[in-house]
Amino acid sequence: MDALAGLLEGPRARGAFLMRSILEPPWSLRIEDEAPLTVLAMMRGSAWIMPGDADSLRVSAGDVVVFSGAKPYTVADDPATDPQIIIRPGQVTMTPDGEILCETLSLGVREWGTDPDGETMMVTGTYESAGAVSQGLLRALPPVIVLPRGECDTRLLELLVDEMSKDQPAQGAVLDRLLDLLLIAALRSWFARNDAPAWYHAYNDPLVGKALRLLQHNPAHGWTVASLASAVGVSRAALARRFTDLVGEPPMAFLTEWRLALAADLLQDSDATIESIARQVGYGSAFALSSAFKRHFGVSPRDHRRGAAPAPVSSAG
C-alpha cells in the first residue's frame, strides 16, 4: 500500500455528502462544517476561495479544488460579498442569523441553490469523517489544492454529475465510489508536481520504497531495523540513514505510527477484540497496544471505539 492508497483507506467515502449548488451572484457561502476533506468541482461560472489565513484564489469552470482540514473557509462570487449562507456540521445550511435554509434552498435530488438557472454551478463532495490511517497524508496536504481545468479526468466528473441526478437502489454506494475515484485522480495529479512532500517520493526509491511496502503490508511481523535492512539487501546503518532522510523519521518510528493508525481504524470498523487487533498490528498483548495507543492518541482503545476522537501527540510527515 502506498501513500495515496493509505489515504483512501482512511477517508473512504461512506455515505459522503454530495450536492450540486446552483447560484446567482451575488452569493457567498461560509463553510464551517468541520469536514476533514472536501472536493469541489466548478461546473460553470467562477468563484473565489478565501481560506481565511491565506491568499484568496480564483477558480473557474473545469477546476477541481480539494480542501483539507477542518478550518472554516469562504466560497463566494466576489471577495467583497459578505457571507449569506453558513454551512455547519452535518451540512446544516443557515443564514448568519440562524434561520435554517435546508428546505428553502432545495432544487431537487442532491441539488440546492438560489436560482435553478444561476450563473454558477459547482459540485461538492464532502468526507465527513477520516480514519486514522490517513492522518499522515492529510497533514502533508495544504489547506487548499487547486487542479486547473484539464489536470483531472473530466470523464470521472461528468459521470459523477450524471449519477447525482439519479435516485436508484444503491445510489449512495455508487456515488461514494465515484467520489473516491475523483479524489484519487485529483491527488495523483497534484502529487505528480514538484511541490509534493519529499517523503511521498520515497516510495519510488528502490530501497526505501521496498522497505515502506514491507512495513505497511506486514505490520504484524516482528520487524527490527536489522531484519528490514536484510530484507531489502543493505546494511542496517545505510537503511536507517536513507530511510530517515527520505521519510523524515526512522523506520521503527514509522512502523509504530502505522501500526497504531491501523489499530485505530480496526477499532472503529470491526468488532474484533482489542487482543485480536493487537496481534493483527504487531503488538504482543492488549495491554501493550493500549499503553502505546493512549500515549500516542491521548485516549484508550476502548474510549476510541466508543467515539472519542484520536488526537495524535506525535506525528510524521
Side-chain angles (χ1 to χ4, degrees), residues 217-237:
H217 285 295
N218 304 281
H221 184 74
W223 292 109
T224 63
V225 177
S227 66
L228 187 62
S230 176
V232 300
V234 294
S235 71
R236 181 176 181 274

Side-chain angles (χ1 to χ4, degrees), residues 200-224:
Y200 179 81
H201 297 294
Y203 287 88
N204 294 322
D205 184 86
L207 296 178
V208 176
K210 184 177 180 181
L212 282 167
R213 289 177 176 87
L214 284 170
L215 295 176
Q216 291 182 313
H217 285 295
N218 304 281
H221 184 74
W223 292 109
T224 63

Side-chain angles (χ1 to χ4, degrees), residues 7-26:
L7 171 67
L8 268 300
E9 284 301 309
R12 180 186 294 131
R14 301 179 181 92
F17 179 82
L18 277 150
M19 187 64 70
R20 176 163 43 191
S21 303
I22 307 176
L23 304 159
E24 182 66 24

Side-chain angles (χ1 to χ4, degrees), residues 196-212 238-251 254 316-317:
W199 61 261
Y200 179 81
H201 297 294
Y203 287 88
N204 294 322
D205 184 86
L207 296 178
V208 176
K210 184 177 180 181
L212 282 167
L239 176 64
R241 181 171 58 252
R242 188 164 183 80
F243 193 105
T244 303
D245 287 345
L246 294 183
V247 180
E249 62 181 340
F254 175 88

Side-chain angles (χ1 to χ4, degrees), residues 24-198:
E24 182 66 24
W27 59 270
S28 179
L29 312 178
R30 178 66 174 170
I31 315 300
E32 300 178 354
D33 60 4
E34 301 178 5
L37 197 67
T38 297
V39 182
L40 182 153
M42 293 299 302
M43 305 305 296
R44 68 171 182 250
S46 62
W48 283 87
I49 309 292
M50 289 158 281
D53 55 358
D55 294 337
S56 299
L57 303 167
R58 188 175 187 273
V59 292
S60 303
D63 295 348
V64 175
V65 186
V66 179
F67 298 92
S68 174
K71 291 184 178 180
Y73 56 91
T74 301
V75 183
D77 71 307
D78 188 278
T81 304
D82 291 331
Q84 303 156 340
I85 299 170
I86 299 173
I87 300 177
R88 303 301 304 276
Q91 303 306 313
V92 175
T93 306
M94 62 178 61
T95 68
D97 294 331
E99 178 188 353
I100 303 297
L101 297 172
C102 298
E103 294 298 327
T104 305
L105 296 177
S106 176
L107 297 176
V109 177
R110 300 183 188 88
E111 191 170 274
W112 75 285
T114 59
D115 186 338
D117 300 313
E119 177 183 309
T120 304
M121 179 190 294
M122 54 191 178
V123 169
T124 305
T126 303
Y127 292 78
E128 298 188 273
S129 64
V133 170
S134 67
Q135 292 304 307
L137 186 52
L138 289 177
R139 287 194 300 270
L141 298 176
V144 182
I145 292 172
V146 178
L147 280 300
R149 183 185 185 91
E151 289 198 17
C152 241
D153 192 335
T154 57
R155 294 171 298 176
L156 287 172
L157 184 54
E158 290 166 0
L159 185 57
L160 176 63
V161 172
D162 180 59
E163 288 289 335
M164 283 178 63
S165 64
K166 300 176 182 178
D167 195 12
Q168 299 179 356
Q171 195 65 30
V174 172
L175 292 172
D176 283 349
R177 299 293 75 77
L178 288 173
L179 178 60
D180 286 343
L181 290 172
L182 180 61
L183 174 65
I184 292 171
L187 292 181
R188 190 164 56 185
S189 295
W190 186 77
F191 275 110
R193 299 179 182 178
N194 293 328
D195 54 1

